[in-house]
Amino acid sequence: MAYSEERSLSINNLPSQVRETAMHSHDRTLRESEKRYHALVAAAAAIVWTTDSNGAIIEPQSSWERFTGQAWEQSRGWGWKEAIHPDDRERVKALWEKALSSRSMYRSAQRLWHAPSQSYRHVEVWAVCIPDSSGGIKQWVGICSDVTDLKRAEERLEAVLGSINDHLVCYDRQWRYIYVNDKAAEVLGRRKEDLIGRSIWEIFPDAVGNEYYRAVHEALAEQKIIRQEHYYPPFRAWFQNHIYPTPDGVTVFSADITRRKESEQRLRRSEARYRALLEASSQSIWTWNPETLEGDYEAVQRWWETLTGQSPFSQKDLGWLEVIHPEDRDRVSAAWTEAMTTANKLEVEYRIRTLAGEYRHLLSRVVPVREEGGAVREWVGMIIDMTEQRRQEAALKEADRRKDEFLAMLAHELRNPLAPIRNGLELIRLAGDDAATREQAQGMMERQVAQMVRLTDDLLDLARISQGRLELRKEQVEFASVVRSAVEATRPLIEANRHELHISLPPAPILLEGDLTRLAQVFSNLLNNSAKYTEPGGRIWLTVERQEAAVVATVRDTGIGIPGEMLSRIFEMFTQVDRSLEKARGGLGIGLTLVRQLVEMHGGRVEARSEGPDRGSLFIVHLPVITAAASPLHPTPSAEKKGFSPPGHRILVVEDHEDSAKIMEMMLKKMGHAPRIAYDGVEAIEAAEAFRPDVIFLDIGMPRLNGYDAARRIREQPWGKKILLVALTGWGQEADKCRSREAGFDFHLIKPVDPAVLNTLLAELGSAEGKPIDLP
Ligand code: ADP
């Protein structure tokens, strides 16, 4: 082990005694000095020795001989060196020579052979030179003191301090590290050698002025022990410090308490969260200690009291069971008792009677909070009002049931027209030359097809409205044209039922800002219903009146009427008064829903009235009108276009469904055009190139190449730029139309296409080169 000479200096103050001894021996008589010297040597529990001015022993040294076992002969001259531990010998020799030449005080620490114990012992050596009267050196006097026990104790202390988990540092009064244990060096992230002797504030300048800084200064200034916890950001750590003032500075024990602090903080946060949770849902969370009967349950009691009218007093001792639905009471009581006796958590749903006399669905969850040993310390409970959820579940079930019913009815309604259409076809085949029968069959089939188209259109419209995707194409509309359109659409049914239709319109034109097609749809739906729900031969009135800023149109009939309780619900989706009865009349219960939605989209309202079954029905529609001076009426293009005679066109029909393609081809031929068929997209491009049609009707979903891609490729050709491209598809959503536009189509028609629409389209193509075409 290497020795620290500085440390040895502070161990005791023997050197001053030695110095004093030397001074006195110089001043007094030799004899007195000799006496004192021998007395001192005898008294000191140390080795006292003398050498000549060259460091050589020139006379016997009794205490040296006793300690080292060296005989006078062995120690004389520089022989004493042999008693020193071989590892320390050279160092001691060098130090001794240096002292001799500089005449300065000698000091060293070393191991010296100890004859009695036959081992080396640690000694500290001090020596001074005694001058003679002529200014030379008379002799050197030295002393060795055995510090082995002290040394061992220090080593033991060092081992203890080195192994403890706390950090220990000692500063002197200039804040220099004079001791740092292993743990402290590790935490400070420095080697001990780099710390010892340097000021803490120099090594950690960012700590100057912080809490720790203030505390150590205070401990030193006021000489008091300070205990402190502080956070040191650069280490991201919390320390608990015990700061002790010492005679030569300050000693600090520190423990890293970051983990403890973090868990305290987690605990505090979770506590705060729990409090906030309790506060946020204070009405329904509670805690209860069965031992002390204490807990946080006032809020829940108050909530319960407001809900049920039960005072906190009557809620006690299972008193709360009183307001539980009689059918649920025993079950809840049993579950509660079981939870309390088995200390298991409880989850139970029940109904309670409220102050207002209605029942609400509540869900109670109660969870035991256990001690470490497993015993239940308290219970935490929560009550959740499930009424709304249960109501919504019931509503969902009902909606689901209605949806199933609706689907069944839809299948029925779509299938219904198919039988007469099939029979009609058979009739036409059998009729031969009987033109009257054929015409009759054809009329009937047209009506059935119209009914199917109407159903699917209504469904699509409703889907669009409910997704907010139905857009009105508003323009200035004269109300008379709305009426005309609606009547035209319903006339076949009215005539088939031999109803008397009375229409009354004021002479002055009434102008609206609206979508003609959609407004006509409103009144054709109402007239259609009147025709459906009025026995044959009955009467129907459509009366239009102008009332200030509104037009009030009334559709009245002498039909089966509507029961009073149904009047408010009749506009709801899928609502029908009597399914069993209505089935025969056809319908899905969406016509009136559409009516109301469309009227409201036009800023109006609609109401239904009836004096009851068989007393007829009345539907009143209010719509805002344009009140400013009437501007000239733009006639609707569709009304104007009727009766065009089309010139012949070269038309390519692209359709993978063979029958549909053939029928279309036949129809177009009959209309005076020159059609040709292609059965998929690839064939379409080839045929178009060879045939150079004026118009292509292109299906979208097709094998090999779909309609969009086929259209794109045709548009890329020099000959394909001017062709009128018409998408003919079952997909009618806005997004589908958008894709058609992007692919280069001029029109997007939805199957089945009304032949009248085809006619108009083709007629316009011939008559209005380059102008946009308006379709009905
Ligand atoms: P649908 O007629 O397809 O069943 P609607 O939504 O048009 O559906 O009508 C909903 C229900 O309102 C009908 O099923 C019918 O019961 C009743 N209703 C509608 N219009 C009349 C009317 N003019 N006379 C009697 N009942 C009617």
Side-chain angles (χ1 to χ4, degrees), residues 499 529-535 538-541 556-562 585 610 612-618:
H499 292 312
N529 276 354
S530 286
K532 261 173 22 183
Y533 301 109
T534 301
E535 296 307 323
R539 274 180 293 167
I540 302 169
W541 291 267
R556 186 158 70 85
D557 59 53
T558 54
I560 62 170
I562 301 166
R585 318 216 174 201
S610 171
D614 296 326
R615 308 286 299 271
S617 311
L618 176 66

Side-chain angles (χ1 to χ4, degrees), residues 159 292 340 368 393 467 530 537 565 598 629 638 657 737:
T292 60
M340 292 300 127
E393 279 169 11
Q467 291 163 16
S530 286
E565 72 275 9
L598 289 173
S638 54
H657 191 279
K737 290 185 184 168

Side-chain angles (χ1 to χ4, degrees), residues 141-278:
V141 179
I143 186 166
C144 302
S145 44
D146 186 341
V147 293
T148 309
D149 293 341
L150 191 66
K151 186 94 195 140
R152 300 254 157 86
E154 257 181 29
E155 277 169 7
R156 273 196 296 277
L157 186 65
E158 181 71 38
V160 169
L161 294 178
S163 66
I164 58 171
N165 229 356
D166 286 350
H167 331 145
L168 173 67
V169 290
C170 305
Y171 312 110
D172 64 13
R173 289 182 160 269
Q174 276 71 49
W175 304 109
R176 287 180 302 223
Y177 285 99
I178 52 176
Y179 178 80
V180 178
N181 76 348
D182 293 343
K183 188 73 189 173
E186 182 193 317
V187 169
L188 297 175
R190 308 288 164 109
R191 292 181 314 158
K192 283 187 190 178
E193 308 83 278
D194 297 337
L195 292 168
I196 298 293
R198 291 180 65 195
S199 156
I200 170 182
W201 314 126
E202 171 200 332
I203 299 178
F204 300 106
D206 46 289
V208 172
N210 75 6
E211 262 179 276
Y212 177 68
Y213 178 94
R214 289 197 298 276
V216 283
H217 277 81
E218 190 185 333
L220 189 65
E222 297 182 20
Q223 288 293 298
K224 66 176 187 191
I225 298 170
I226 291 186
R227 289 186 180 80
Q228 160 219 57
E229 285 181 1
H230 99 116
Y231 181 71
Y232 187 50
F235 292 176
R236 296 179 177 206
W238 275 93
F239 296 99
Q240 186 182 54
N241 302 321
H242 287 90
I243 307 165
Y244 301 97
T246 58
D248 50 0
V250 177
T251 294
V252 182
F253 272 100
S254 289
D256 185 337
I257 53 164
T258 313
R259 282 220 176 148
R260 196 193 82 200
K261 277 284 183 192
E262 279 171 359
S263 66
E264 275 175 13
Q265 197 175 39
R266 268 199 299 277
L267 201 67
R268 264 201 310 280
R269 280 193 190 146
S270 116
E271 185 83 355
R273 213 174 289 138
Y274 165 72
R275 287 280 142 211
L277 193 71
L278 206 64

Side-chain angles (χ1 to χ4, degrees), residues 16-34:
S16 55
Q17 293 171 351
V18 171
R19 205 175 296 126
E20 222 168 277
T21 309
M23 296 297 289
H24 288 179
S25 65
H26 180 70
D27 292 343
R28 304 210 177 149
T29 62
L30 190 62
R31 243 176 111 197
E32 280 172 341
S33 166
E34 284 283 323

Side-chain angles (χ1 to χ4, degrees), residues 304-432:
W304 189 274
E305 183 176 11
T306 322
L307 201 65
T308 63
Q310 254 196 339
S311 72
F313 182 76
S314 33
Q315 290 170 31
K316 275 189 175 163
D317 300 331
L318 300 186
W320 49 270
L321 277 171
E322 285 298 308
V323 289
I324 289 183
H325 194 293
E327 287 172 15
D328 300 343
R329 203 172 292 155
D330 288 348
R331 182 172 49 85
V332 174
S333 165
W336 176 262
T337 314
E338 195 198 324
M340 292 300 127
T341 44
T342 58
N344 281 332
K345 64 179 172 191
L346 160 76
E347 181 168 322
V348 62
E349 194 175 329
Y350 49 90
R351 291 159 290 173
I352 56 158
R353 197 188 56 246
T354 67
L355 202 54
E358 48 161 37
Y359 280 97
R360 292 192 80 81
H361 286 263
L362 300 185
L363 172 73
S364 271
R365 282 205 191 107
V366 189
V367 183
V369 181
R370 295 174 189 279
E371 302 280 13
E372 269 178 20
V376 175
R377 188 178 69 226
E378 62 181 349
W379 291 86
V380 175
M382 178 183 231
I383 304 175
I384 307 165
D385 190 336
M386 304 288 285
T387 314
E388 185 55 19
Q389 193 173 325
R390 293 287 170 260
R391 198 191 58 71
Q392 282 177 5
E393 279 169 11
L396 269 178
K397 261 193 205 146
E398 170 62 15
D400 196 42
R401 193 190 58 73
R402 274 164 66 176
K403 181 207 72 195
D404 288 345
E405 211 175 87
F406 165 76
L407 285 176
M409 201 182 330
L410 178 64
H412 179 261
E413 289 303 322
L414 289 176
R415 185 170 271 272
N416 254 354
L418 290 177
I421 292 173
R422 181 185 277 167
N423 293 341
L425 286 171
E426 185 62 14
L427 198 61
I428 288 172
R429 203 172 60 82
L430 295 175

Side-chain angles (χ1 to χ4, degrees), residues 529-530 532-533 557 560-562 570 575-577 582 587-592 617 619:
N529 276 354
S530 286
K532 261 173 22 183
Y533 301 109
D557 59 53
I560 62 170
I562 301 166
I570 208 91
T575 304
Q576 295 182 311
V577 172
E582 312 313 339
L588 295 168
I590 55 177
L592 285 184
S617 311
F619 288 85

